Amino acid sequence: MSRIFSVGAVLAIFLTSSSSTLAAGSATGTISSVAGDYNSGMLVKLSGPFANPDNCARTDWYILPDNHPHAQLLQAILLSAQAGNRLIGVQLDGCVDNFPRIIAAWN
């Protein structure tokens, strides 16, 4: 049942995101580190190659902005993937504070 909820939640995020989602890049890996209490949101570091489709200045972390309409849901998805050491995928679009911006996540 929780798997169905996860898939439904991800679909809802994609459907409510802007049309620029189609041109965005993505990255996958396990979450090696997260940092909270940053000025603009939650920082996430993934194992594996770093994706930077919009050539943001920072190439070490991704950011999930606090003002994302689904920030709490995405934070829960990211933290549960980290806790379970599961592979996670993130959809990227644009830059926030020079970090590639996470707009969706799935695991």
Side-chain angles (χ1 to χ4, degrees), residues 22-103:
L22 298 174
S26 63
T28 58
T30 57
I31 297 177
S32 57
S33 189
V34 296
D37 199 27
Y38 188 75
N39 290 333
S40 300
M42 178 178 160
L43 296 177
V44 178
K45 190 175 283 194
L46 296 179
S47 65
F50 191 83
N52 192 0
D54 294 299
N55 296 316
C56 303
R58 296 291 301 261
T59 58
D60 51 350
W61 295 85
Y62 301 104
I63 190 165
L64 172 59
D66 286 337
N67 64 358
H68 187 290
H70 306 289
Q72 288 182 337
L73 173 62
L74 292 173
Q75 288 167 354
I77 291 170
L78 293 166
L79 291 174
S80 69
Q82 182 187 30
N85 199 35
R86 292 191 315 258
L87 188 66
I88 186 89
V90 293
Q91 191 75 25
L92 306 167
D93 189 23
C95 306
V96 171
D97 289 344
N98 296 314
F99 297 101
R101 177 179 63 144
I102 297 172
I103 60 169

Side-chain angles (χ1 to χ4, degrees), residues 9-19 21 70 90-91 103-106:
V10 170
L11 287 174
I13 291 169
F14 279 120
L15 293 175
T16 58
S17 295
S18 69
S19 61
T21 300
H70 306 289
V90 293
Q91 191 75 25
I103 60 169
W106 60 93

